[in-house]
Amino acid sequence: MNSIVLALIGVGMMLLGYFFYSKFISTKVLKLEESFVTPAHEFQDGIDHVPTNKLVLWGHHFTSVAGAAPIVGPAIAVIWGWLPAFLWVTLGTVFFAGMHDLGVLWASVRNKGKSIGSLSGRYIGARGRVLFLVVIFLLLLMVNAAFAVVIAGLLVGTPSAVIPTWGALVVAVLVGQAIYRLKWSLPLVSIVGVVALYGLIILGDQVPVVLPETVLGLSAKAFWIVLLFLYAGIASMLPVWVLLQPRDYINGLQLFVGLGLLYASVLFTMPTVVAPAINDAVPEGTPPIVPLLFVTIACGALSGFHGMVASGTSSKQLNKETDARFVGYFGAVGEGLLALGAIIATTAGFQSLAQWREVYSAFGKGGVNAFVDGGGAIMEAALHVPHSLSATVLATMAVLFAATTMDTGVRLQRFVVQEAGELIGVKLRRVSATVIVLVVCIGLSFVAGADGEGGMIIWPLFGTTNQLMASLSLAIITVILLRKRRPALYALIPFTIVLAMSVLALVVQLGTFYKDGNWLLLVLDIIILVCALVVTLESVRAMVGARAAGDPDAEVRAPEPVGHDI
């Protein structure tokens, strides 16, 4: 099959989803109101609550949710064939992720910008909230620790990405000053910022930075991991307009340009998809496609992490409630396009089926490297640029996606620590909560040795935990819609399907962990499974009594304290 067919059908489906389905959800189900006073205005503090242009906020939201996972997941899942991955990415983006991301953003805005953890306490009960926080904390721990390893690996393996990765921070700070201090027009800032970033990519390709084998007694990879966490900790405490917003916005533009170059390269070269539609000869040890497909491709089709970003940072910056459609739903579409690009790069970026099978010789093979190599080959053929430059563009794209997700994740994990502290009567300030987060994350990274690879120890549980988080967030949206006497099937159906796949995947993994004697993952799997089942029962109970509970907008609500902690 020609890859252009996949690109046209996939992009077309997602755009139709945005222009038609998201409009229906926004006007008929959620009933977004332009006049509604959002938390960004009600609690404006210049730190976390900042009314933001929807284009800038979309940049923050998109790049925060689109980390390395929408590349890694599809790049691994194509081992079952390109067709299952393609269908889950396209249909999942339109009917699952869009509803989830937009719905959580709306729910948080309607509840004073409260996090999804706080919403769980309000709509499904105090017991559900405690267990929900356990799932959230573990999910954020997985994301932060694992992404540090992924980024460090890319910086070591693709040294040409070092200068654009760290140089992007300088560009971001200058962009923030230009927008908020100097009041430059957004189009001018956008053009200058994107040109500067691509200038850094060209410079990085010419001047790769290779660290010595040991730096301050650490290996090069371990040094990058520590430095990344220190950066993320500092970035998470700064006011959002200083670094978070402008970095995510300008990165979002650069990354969309990168995606545009990849899709344009597919259009010009029209490479053949060499991978099979359904792979009947999967390597030995490959798990069953059902339910593992639905948790291997999490980000890019549906992701619970999106709900934490939507309710943790984006809801506190939304200028108008009607902007939620563009920020939330189109943010999901952006990630879907990235996942679709990963599928094309890893199935059409090889010369032959034999070469593809050599790369996908075992489950878990492929990943980011297959995306960089395959996509780089397609871009090299179309644009006639050196393969090293094409690889630098894609590697930088992957690093920046992962880095923006990581420091947003640290900020969100700080909120969770503060919220947990309040439950036991301890008020934690930003610095102390951030220190706790960094100690836990760095501790996990180095618990297995000095190479810092410990962050990958619990990563096998990411997909299932992430999808459980998504299903539980959809349960909260369902309860709210039922209480408001709105059509709830648009959230209830995705909730049911994703919950079933996630629980089944946890059960399958239980057997695998037991067989392998991996007792740590076995215990964590049981904890997550128990939490999920209890929260699900609480959610069903809340759904049954939802209509009798009445419209939540008629109730008096207090602002969420963690968002104002200075």
Side-chain angles (χ1 to χ4, degrees):
M1 169 179 275
N2 196 303
S3 58
I4 193 65
V5 176
L6 290 184
L8 291 177
I9 294 176
V11 173
M13 288 177 64
M14 292 184 203
L15 291 180
L16 286 173
Y18 175 71
F19 286 114
F20 295 100
Y21 188 63
S22 75
K23 184 176 181 180
F24 168 76
I25 292 296
S26 299
T27 57
K28 302 300 183 181
V29 179
L30 304 182
K31 298 183 179 180
L32 304 182
E33 298 177 13
E34 186 168 351
S35 60
F36 183 81
V37 179
T38 64
H41 289 282
E42 188 173 359
F43 307 113
Q44 185 172 356
D45 59 8
I47 298 176
D48 292 322
H49 295 79
V50 179
T52 305
N53 179 288
K54 70 177 182 180
L55 294 175
V56 176
L57 182 55
W58 173 84
H60 154 68
H61 184 81
F62 168 55
T63 53
S64 292
V65 301
I71 296 174
V72 175
I76 291 175
V78 293
I79 197 168
W80 289 299
W82 61 260
L83 183 58
F86 174 79
L87 290 175
W88 176 225
V89 163
T90 51
L91 296 176
T93 295
V94 173
F95 296 108
F96 289 66
M99 178 66 212
H100 171 272
D101 294 15
L102 172 56
V104 173
L105 182 56
W106 165 77
S108 179
V109 167
R110 283 283 167 166
N111 286 271
K112 308 291 186 180
K114 290 185 177 181
S115 71
I116 194 67
S118 294
L119 293 180
S120 67
R122 180 174 183 223
Y123 289 104
I124 62 177
R127 180 168 52 184
R129 179 186 183 185
V130 173
L131 298 178
F132 210 92
L133 285 176
V134 172
V135 176
I136 291 173
F137 185 84
L138 287 174
L139 179 58
L140 288 170
L141 182 61
M142 293 174 195
V143 169
N144 293 333
F147 277 22
V149 176
V150 171
I151 297 169
L154 284 169
L155 293 177
V156 172
T158 312
S160 55
V162 172
I163 287 179
T165 295
W166 295 104
L169 301 181
V170 178
V171 174
V173 171
L174 295 177
V175 165
Q177 296 296 317
I179 293 176
Y180 289 99
R181 297 281 192 186
L182 303 179
K183 306 297 182 183
W184 286 16
S185 68
L186 192 58
L188 176 60
V189 172
S190 303
I191 293 172
V192 172
V194 170
V195 169
L197 281 180
Y198 273 92
L200 287 170
I201 289 175
I202 294 173
L203 177 62
D205 185 58
Q206 298 298 315
V207 188
V209 177
V210 180
L211 294 183
E213 289 188 10
T214 58
V215 181
L216 300 177
L218 298 171
S219 68
K221 192 170 185 178
F223 173 78
W224 283 131
I225 289 173
V226 173
L227 188 60
L228 283 164
F229 274 120
L230 292 177
Y231 150 72
I234 294 171
S236 71
M237 292 186 289
L238 293 174
V240 291
W241 68 269
V242 173
L243 180 60
L244 183 74
Q245 277 186 2
R247 178 215 57 206
D248 289 357
Y249 172 66
I250 207 66
N251 282 350
L253 290 179
Q254 184 269 138
L255 297 168
F256 234 62
V257 171
L259 274 179
L261 290 174
L262 178 59
Y263 278 105
S265 299
V266 171
L267 179 63
F268 291 141
T269 60
M270 292 187 283
T272 300
V273 176
V274 299
I278 303 291
N279 188 10
D280 295 324
V282 295
E284 184 178 355
T286 301
I289 186 172
V290 177
L292 269 298
L293 170 71
F294 299 92
V295 297
T296 301
I297 301 180
C299 302
L302 175 66
S303 170
F305 181 74
H306 295 197
M308 287 186 282
V309 175
S311 65
T313 58
S314 299
S315 65
K316 297 175 177 63
Q317 303 170 57
L318 199 71
N319 185 39
K320 296 185 294 185
E321 188 179 57
T322 48
D323 290 348
R325 179 190 172 203
F326 181 78
V327 174
Y329 196 100
F330 196 63
V333 168
E335 183 167 271
L337 292 174
L338 176 60
L340 178 61
I343 292 172
I344 293 173
T346 54
T347 58
F350 298 91
Q351 296 298 315
S352 64
L353 176 58
Q355 186 185 45
W356 181 83
R357 289 198 183 281
E358 183 180 350
V359 172
Y360 286 88
S361 58
F363 184 73
K365 297 288 186 180
V368 174
N369 291 332
F371 169 74
V372 171
D373 292 340
I378 294 173
M379 291 174 62
E380 179 186 11
L383 305 177
H384 302 292
V385 296
H387 181 75
S388 62
L389 181 57
S390 300
T392 299
V393 171
L394 295 179
T396 302
M397 181 191 303
V399 168
L400 292 180
F401 268 131
T404 52
T405 299
M406 183 181 164
D407 55 22
T408 299
V410 170
R411 183 182 289 257
L412 294 173
Q413 199 167 11
R414 183 245 297 176
F415 287 164
V416 172
V417 169
Q418 289 177 289
E419 191 172 340
E422 289 183 353
L423 289 177
I424 60 175
V426 177
K427 183 170 179 60
L428 296 169
R429 295 291 179 178
R430 284 190 299 158
V431 174
S432 55
T434 302
V435 169
I436 292 174
V437 170
L438 293 182
V439 168
V440 173
C441 289
I442 294 177
L444 175 62
S445 296
F446 290 92
V447 71
D451 59 357
E453 294 274 352
M456 302 305 294
I457 290 177
I458 60 175
W459 181 252
L461 282 170
F462 168 76
T464 46
T465 308
N466 194 37
Q467 298 307 73
L468 277 172
M469 184 72 206
S471 66
L472 298 177
S473 298
L474 285 165
I476 293 173
I477 297 171
T478 301
V479 172
I480 297 174
L481 290 175
L482 288 171
R483 290 184 61 176
K484 295 177 74 66
R485 293 171 172 78
R486 306 263 182 88
L489 283 178
Y490 306 99
L492 181 61
I493 292 175
F495 156 71
T496 305
I497 294 173
V498 176
L499 178 66
M501 292 297 105
S502 302
V503 171
L504 184 56
L506 276 173
V507 173
V508 170
Q509 288 181 313
L510 270 178
T512 302
F513 298 148
Y514 179 79
K515 181 180 177 181
D516 295 342
N518 195 328
W519 308 119
L520 173 62
L521 290 183
L522 181 69
V523 171
L524 287 176
D525 194 314
I526 293 173
I527 291 173
I528 294 168
L529 182 59
V530 170
C531 289
L533 291 176
V534 174
V535 174
T536 299
L537 291 174
E538 294 288 315
S539 300
V540 172
R541 180 190 59 78
M543 290 178 194
V544 172
R547 292 191 180 275
D551 187 350
D553 279 349
E555 302 170 14
V556 178
R557 299 178 297 274
E560 183 175 12
V562 296
H564 302 287
D565 186 13
I566 299 174

